[in-house]
């Protein structure tokens, strides 16, 4: 595939790959391990906890200069008052190996999973959750050496939607008042964690990784579908941006009184992490929960992923423009496709990198792009068949094999970056 040599990407642009610990390693003490019975068959998932050295070598082979990964809290603090030195040493070794490869580590403190004791005794809607998470944060930030980039929470809204409104992820509730309490506690943790991280590492760069999607009305002519689109777009994409600017979450839905929730997060960001995957069409349906039906339609002709998500590269520009309202550097902390078809992965990569390039040309302050993900892994609601990896994993033998998408990503990095 001929690739024109353009040098729009600056030499310090972060070309990365993103992963999360649990999705690669599993963990005996995590809440998710008992939550999803399908994990009983593959508790080690890719056995990355043991094979991490060879997996980190893959990053070097790819030629990335940045790597986002998470700490599995339940390995580090398997019981409420027990810290596992071996686990802490393990993650320090990951950082040291990355540094020796000149790969910038970006560490996520919370990527969906918890130690079981935390969910049993101090779930997010209880105030004690704050102290527990901050103790973990301080322990990590004061112990681990060599990390400047920190993500406090991966996709805080997804935690709330899944755990407190849909009930499809731990703690499995459908409870609006508790979801609002959890929102307040999670964002209070972010604000305080931001200060703790800066106390130990003055030049740290801290953010959340916020999942952003493009929304569209199912039928453009239908006023109900249009109202839904507007509501979802405000809530999912914009309300967090406003909260980081003002310290107030404005929760407003049609036909109900707006609720204001104060949170100590005003300006508690050094950059903004954006996870982007897809566009969602919304249809008003009074027989569905909350009157909403979600659909993915193949409108642009790029197709749908294995998970049925619409491939919509232009949407990346849209959400980056929303994010730019914070007037901060933006890092695309996740973007990728689940597909068994390598060609499809290659096309997805090219189209999305082209959009990033256009955004840079237009003057948007995008500092990095992290492809999701390095090797095939466990996908939260879909198990082991999603195949987001640049490398294919055989979940029986734990063998890793490069796909053409890995070669192509290396090629993109080399051909697009200024030296
Ligand atoms: C994100 C999430 C990742 C991964 C990805 C693909 O929302 O942060 O953990 O699962 O989606 O679905």
């Amino acid at each position: 595939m001929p690739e024109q040599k353009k040098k729009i990407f600056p030499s310090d642009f972060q070309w990365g790959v993103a992963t999360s610990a649990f999705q690669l390693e599993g963990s005996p003490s995590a809440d998710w391990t008992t939550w999803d019975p399908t994990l009983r068959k593959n508790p080690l998932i890719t056995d990355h906890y043991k094979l991490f050295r060879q997996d980190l070598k893959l990053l070097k082979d790819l030629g990335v200069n940045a790597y986002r990964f998470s700490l599995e809290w339940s390995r580090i603090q398997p019981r409420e008052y027990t810290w596992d030195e071996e686990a802490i040493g393990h993650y320090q070794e990951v950082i040291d190996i990355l540094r020796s490869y000149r790969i910038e580590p970006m560490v996520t403190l919370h990527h969906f999973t918890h130690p079981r004791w935390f969910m049993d005794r101090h779930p997010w809607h209880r105030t004690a959750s704050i102290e527990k998470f901050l103790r973990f944060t301080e322990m990590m930030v004061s112990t681990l050496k060599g990390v400047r980039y920190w993500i406090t929470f991966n996709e805080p809204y997804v935690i709330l939607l899944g755990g407190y409104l849909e009930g499809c992820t731990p703690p499995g509730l459908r409870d609006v008042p508790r979801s609002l309490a959890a929102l307040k506690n999670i964002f209070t943790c972010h604000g305080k964690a931001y200060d703790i991280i800066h106390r130990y590492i003055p030049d740290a760069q801290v953010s959340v990784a916020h999942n952003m999607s493009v929304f569209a009305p199912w039928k453009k002519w239908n006023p109900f579908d249009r109202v839904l689109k507007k509501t979802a777009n405000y809530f999912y994409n914009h309300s967090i941006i406003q909260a980081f600017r003002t310290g107030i979450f404005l929760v407003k839905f049609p036909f109900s009184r707006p609720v204001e929730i104060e949170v100590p997060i005003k300006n508690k960001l050094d950059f903004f992490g954006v996870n982007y995957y897809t566009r969602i069409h919304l249809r008003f349906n009074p027989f569905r929960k909350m009157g909403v039906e979600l659909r993915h339609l193949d409108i642009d002709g790029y197709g749908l992923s294995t998970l049925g998500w619409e491939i919509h590269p232009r949407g990346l520009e849209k959400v980056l423009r929303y994010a730019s309202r914070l007037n901060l550097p933006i890092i695309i902390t996740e973007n990728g496709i689940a597909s068994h078809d390598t060609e499809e992965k290659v096309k997805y990569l090219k189209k999305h990198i082209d959009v990033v390039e256009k955004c840079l040309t237009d003057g948007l302050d995008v500092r990095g792009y992290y492809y999701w993900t390095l090797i095939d892994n466990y996908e939260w609601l879909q198990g082991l068949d999603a195949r987001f990896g640049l490398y294919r994993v055989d979940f029986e033998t734990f063998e890793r094999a490069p796909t053409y998408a890995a070669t192509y990503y290396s090629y993109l990095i080399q051909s697009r970056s200024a030296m």
Side-chain angles (χ1 to χ4, degrees), residues 37 189 407:
C189 278
T407 317

Side-chain angles (χ1 to χ4, degrees), residues 241 245 269-272 321-330 365 367:
I241 293 176
R245 290 168 65 165
L269 278 182
D270 301 302
F271 67 95
F272 193 55
R321 288 195 185 278
Y322 297 157
S324 71
R325 294 182 189 163
L326 279 160
N327 289 322
L328 287 172
I330 300 167
D365 190 4
R367 304 281 178 96

Side-chain angles (χ1 to χ4, degrees), residues 60-85:
K60 193 176 178 223
D61 299 344
L62 276 174
V64 297
N65 61 7
Y67 177 54
R68 175 177 171 227
F69 66 100
S70 72
L71 308 173
E72 180 50 41
W73 184 4
S74 64
R75 285 189 187 271
I76 292 167
Q77 207 179 350
R79 285 176 297 284
E80 192 165 350
Y81 299 101
T82 308
W83 299 94
D84 186 323
E85 295 297 329

Side-chain angles (χ1 to χ4, degrees), residues 23 111 154-155 211 275 277 309 334 372 379-380 388:
Q23 289 176 275
H111 198 124
N154 181 66
E155 302 186 346
N211 185 289
N275 294 354
Y277 288 90
W309 299 355
E334 285 180 30
W372 181 273
E379 175 62 26
W380 306 105
F388 276 94

Side-chain angles (χ1 to χ4, degrees), residues 182-203:
L183 176 137
K184 188 167 171 87
N185 293 340
I186 287 174
F187 282 97
T188 301
C189 278
H190 171 81
K192 289 177 186 273
Y194 179 93
D195 292 338
I196 294 173
I197 298 169
H198 277 278
R199 199 159 66 235
Y200 285 92
I201 308 158
D203 67 341

